[in-house]
Amino acid sequence: MDKPLGPVRADVRCVLPDSAFLGEGPHWLTAERKLLWVDILAPAIHVSDPATGKSTSVRMPELVSAVVPRVRGGYVAAMQTGFKAVDLTTGASTMLASPEADRPGNRFNDGKCDRRGRFWAGTLAIDATPDAGSLYRFDADGRVHLMDTGFHVSNGLGWSPDDRRFYFTDSARRTIYVYDFDLESGAIADRRVFAEIPEGHGVPDGMAVDSEGFVWVAQWDGWCVVRHDPDGKVDRVVNLPVPRPTSCAFGGPDMTTLYVTSARIRLSAAQLADSPLSGSVFAIETGVRGLPETAFAG
């Protein structure tokens, strides 16, 4: 987990100083101009204003890994036990679907909505049992579909601008996969490797896809965010002042700011002294427009 060569860029700013154990799931709320994000392990949902650095937070009763707004109002979260409706005023939650009720040792991890408002999220074993994770699609009609299975650590996901590709990450295998995607049906097919991350370069975590079809990936233990071209090749590396960036999302007034969450979990006192901003949220001015997030249609 040595620092990469090269300085942290001048266009990287800490906009939300925090000490999140496992910051994750950034989602830009366009109308409010605020960032929705979570701390998985000290379970809480945050709504933050990067312009002022102020946040409102609500504690959750169980692990929470991703939250999206609902078209009808309110929010839906991927939580330890399933997809739940959540009230960010009271912290109350209501189960909507629990596809792994028979697997109490699993939890949901990263998730987001496709352009039709279907909520996709993957699972993993809390004790890190290999191949125990699966990928699910939660539709507006309340039905859940098992889309693929056999993953070790389900993680970052996203879609190409033309909605013909779906990306999904297995962090434990250091691999980002790409599938053919059908927007109308929500089907995926022909899983293949998009990018494999070599040892010593961090672990691929959460991602965001920009309007040019390039894929930005937070590199856990890599001190950076990497931009891959549509063929999977590395196009750009942006160094960060923290070792464990976890995920990223485009936002800001013109959708060119990449917000990056981070973690401080399992860092030693010496490592934290070297990276005191671990657990904070950073902003990278990319010069590239991102794609707006989609709310859950149900």
Side-chain angles (χ1 to χ4, degrees):
M1 201 172 64
D2 295 334
K3 282 188 178 181
L5 296 175
V8 174
R9 293 165 56 118
D11 53 6
V12 175
R13 296 174 293 124
C14 179
V15 290
L16 297 170
D18 207 298
S19 55
F21 283 106
L22 186 52
E24 261 285 5
H27 177 111
W28 182 250
L29 301 171
T30 303
E32 298 92 333
R33 293 195 173 187
K34 292 183 178 179
L35 189 72
L36 184 66
W37 61 290
V38 304
D39 186 339
I40 295 178
L41 295 181
I45 298 172
H46 308 291
V47 181
S48 302
D49 184 346
T52 64
K54 295 181 179 179
S55 299
T56 58
S57 304
V58 58
R59 296 291 174 187
M60 290 287 107
E62 63 181 80
L63 304 183
V64 56
S65 54
V67 187
V68 297
R70 301 182 79 173
V71 169
R72 69 172 67 176
Y75 297 84
V76 176
M79 301 184 71
Q80 180 172 342
T81 56
F83 296 99
K84 291 189 172 185
V86 292
D87 185 326
L88 296 192
T89 302
T90 65
S93 62
T94 304
M95 183 67 77
L96 299 174
S98 183
E100 294 198 345
D102 60 336
R103 308 187 77 173
N106 276 14
R107 71 166 176 86
F108 273 90
N109 201 31
D110 205 355
K112 61 182 64 172
C113 291
D114 65 24
R115 244 87 65 182
R116 287 287 185 270
R118 295 167 293 224
F119 195 174
W120 297 63
T123 59
L124 53 80
I126 295 173
D127 67 1
T129 298
D131 305 329
S134 297
L135 170 67
Y136 295 93
R137 193 190 79 214
F138 180 40
D139 291 356
D141 62 8
R143 291 187 294 178
V144 178
H145 302 269
L146 175 63
M147 304 304 293
D148 204 352
T149 192
F151 300 102
H152 190 166
V153 177
S154 299
N155 224 318
L157 65 171
W159 292 265
S160 61
D162 63 5
D163 290 310
R164 298 179 65 179
R165 285 179 157 203
F166 169 68
Y167 300 97
F168 188 60
T169 302
D170 190 332
S171 293
R173 292 190 172 93
R174 299 177 177 272
T175 300
I176 304 167
Y177 297 105
V178 60
Y179 299 74
D180 295 333
F181 177 65
D182 183 272
L183 179 63
E184 295 306 317
S185 68
I188 54 175
D190 189 23
R191 182 177 80 188
R192 56 215 182 260
V193 172
F194 173 71
E196 292 179 302
I197 311 305
E199 289 277 353
H201 291 257
V203 174
D205 203 324
M207 70 165 64
V209 183
D210 66 31
S211 60
E212 298 177 357
F214 287 59
V215 181
W216 298 73
V217 182
Q219 295 293 128
W220 176 275
D221 281 350
W223 297 81
C224 65
V225 172
V226 176
R227 186 191 194 217
H228 296 265
D229 72 15
D231 293 324
K233 298 183 180 67
V234 173
D235 168 78
R236 190 186 307 184
V237 177
V238 182
N239 293 332
L240 296 166
V242 293
R244 292 185 167 168
T246 54
S247 192
C248 51
F250 281 94
D254 55 4
M255 290 297 292
T256 61
T257 302
L258 189 71
Y259 292 104
V260 184
T261 51
S262 67
R264 62 194 291 117
I265 187 70
R266 294 191 297 276
L267 292 176
S268 68
Q271 289 168 330
L272 287 171
D274 196 34
S275 57
L277 293 174
S278 291
S280 300
V281 178
F282 300 87
I284 302 169
E285 302 307 325
T286 66
V288 181
R289 293 182 71 88
L291 301 168
E293 304 278 5
T294 306
F296 178 60

